Amino acid sequence: MASKKEKLEKMQEVQTLVSENMETPVRVNKVQVIGAKRTKAWLLAKHSETVLRAQTLGEALYLTREAAADLKQLGIFRRVEAALDANAPTDKGERIELNIALEVDEKRLLSGQTGIKVGSSNGAIDMKLDFNNLLGLADKLELKSQRFYGGRTVLDAAYSLPVGGDVYYPLTLSTFQVHQAQTASSHDQLIRGVAVDYQTYSVLGQHNVRYEWAWRNVANVADRAAFSVRNQAGHSVKSALVHTLLMEFGGDSNSKSSSSSNGSEGSTDGSSSSSRQAPAGTATSRLLQQTNCSVKVENEVAGLGPLGGSAQFVKNAVQVAVNTPVASSIVHLGLQGGLLVPFEWSPSVQEGVPAGAVRAVPAVSNICDRFWLGGAHDVRGFNHNGLGPLERSDALGGDAYWAAGLSVFLPFPHAGLRTRFQDALRVHAFTNAGSLCALDTASSTPVRDTLSRLSRYSVSAGIGLCFRAPQWQAELNFCVPVRALPTDRVQRGLQFGIGFTFL
């Protein structure tokens, strides 16, 4: 029996032999995928037949590795291994003939998972059931139940299919239910709906186009609730188109991301997610990586023309994040802003307007669609949803906002702990500012009035600890509100936040 030393010497001999013959002409006769029982043959061929183009041994090895990586990236195989079988040429000068086998081990059709998950802005108890490669098309049916800290419950069923077998271009059909206890606003929101998502890429970056139909119910309004909240009680229907563009520069921004969140995790307005991708690079745990910049632009239109529905608005939001190393520290700059413009389209037969025409009239936005600001994930030092319009003791949300944050992540001073946590534990110093207001669409100068309201802002600063894991981030900060408006609800002292989205 060969010793370990003899095996190592044999491997070195093979590596030397291969490296010396990388330019040797070859002909790939056949590429075979072994072990795939449920996967369609055309899908396997799409991701393996490129090996047939190899002209040299070096090309054959490279293309085989690429084919194995492509098959692995489909997400339906636990293991992908490659083997080459070479036939020596009978005549001098002929090409070496190769037969390549890709041995795969398919994942089980049914798999489940339970545990603690970190969402965009808090933690959750997560239960998930996956039907992998259901039709042999690298598709997946995912059933998910999540209960988030803070009273948010999400039930979601999503079927995703890579268009043309390309995992970078998934089409997702989903249905969801979201129950959110809006304790800061003395009511609950129940949202049920269906959505269709399609993800694609261009020279600008990653695009996600989404159509969402949702029935929303503002219910369980407390007896002490403000009149503005009581006036929103009841049902509404949203039928909306959403386009999200994510642009990333620097770092690993050139690599495509095929991950898509199939749960209605939540968006800026606190209702169902209008973009099913986690905002990678935008104020996330990636801020402790190399220099990078990301821009996320989201545009949504609801109730316009054939879309229908009782919710009618145009909504735009922008998030910008810049992270750069300075010596042994990381400096992070985050900027956010958004505008929600509600409208009502109604037939008009008034004087000077043709019959059947439509006109826009002033409207009040639905509380389910508004922006919210304040808390451990954006403007620290204030309560959750603690900034913006307030009536009695209820937060009302807003139609326009901006927020800015400057953070410095310093090495942890204790060398032993710094080494133990592999630099994931850092000291965090920050300053945040932001403003949130409602639009007065009945005003004769709405733009001037909105800018005037946004010029009244709140500021906080503080210092604390930050722990960054691959998929989440946790912060414990001591916060000091430096400037607060009369309607703000401040939280001076310790504030804890966990998630993957931070200003």
Side-chain angles (χ1 to χ4, degrees), residues 12-24 57:
Q12 291 175 343
E13 290 177 5
V14 172
Q15 291 175 356
T16 301
L17 181 62
V18 170
S19 62
E20 291 176 350
N21 292 274
M22 294 294 279
E23 298 301 323
T24 302
L57 179 60

Side-chain angles (χ1 to χ4, degrees), residues 78-189:
R78 283 193 293 253
R79 176 181 57 86
V80 180
E81 295 180 355
L84 280 72
D85 180 27
N87 297 323
T90 55
D91 298 325
K92 187 176 181 179
E94 288 188 358
R95 294 175 179 268
I96 298 177
E97 295 187 353
L98 293 179
N99 293 319
I100 297 176
L102 295 167
E103 186 176 347
V104 300
D105 182 14
E106 288 182 326
K107 291 182 178 180
R108 290 181 299 178
L109 174 64
L110 181 62
S111 63
Q113 181 181 348
T114 60
I116 305 297
K117 176 187 175 181
V118 176
S120 61
S121 58
N122 52 19
I125 300 175
D126 182 78
M127 293 183 291
K128 186 171 65 170
L129 192 64
D130 292 336
F131 294 85
N132 303 297
N133 204 17
L134 192 61
L135 302 178
L137 301 172
D139 52 336
K140 176 189 287 188
L141 175 62
E142 183 178 81
L143 308 178
K144 184 160 55 177
S145 172
Q146 296 173 297
R147 184 172 181 82
F148 290 85
Y149 173 78
R152 181 183 179 86
T153 303
V154 176
L155 301 176
D156 185 86
Y159 175 77
S160 59
L161 173 70
V163 177
D166 193 331
V167 294
Y168 293 123
Y169 301 91
L171 177 68
T172 304
L173 310 176
S174 61
T175 179
F176 57 86
Q177 173 179 295
V178 181
H179 178 266
Q180 174 69 58
Q182 293 281 18
T183 54
S185 304
S186 301
H187 72 279
D188 292 350
Q189 292 180 12

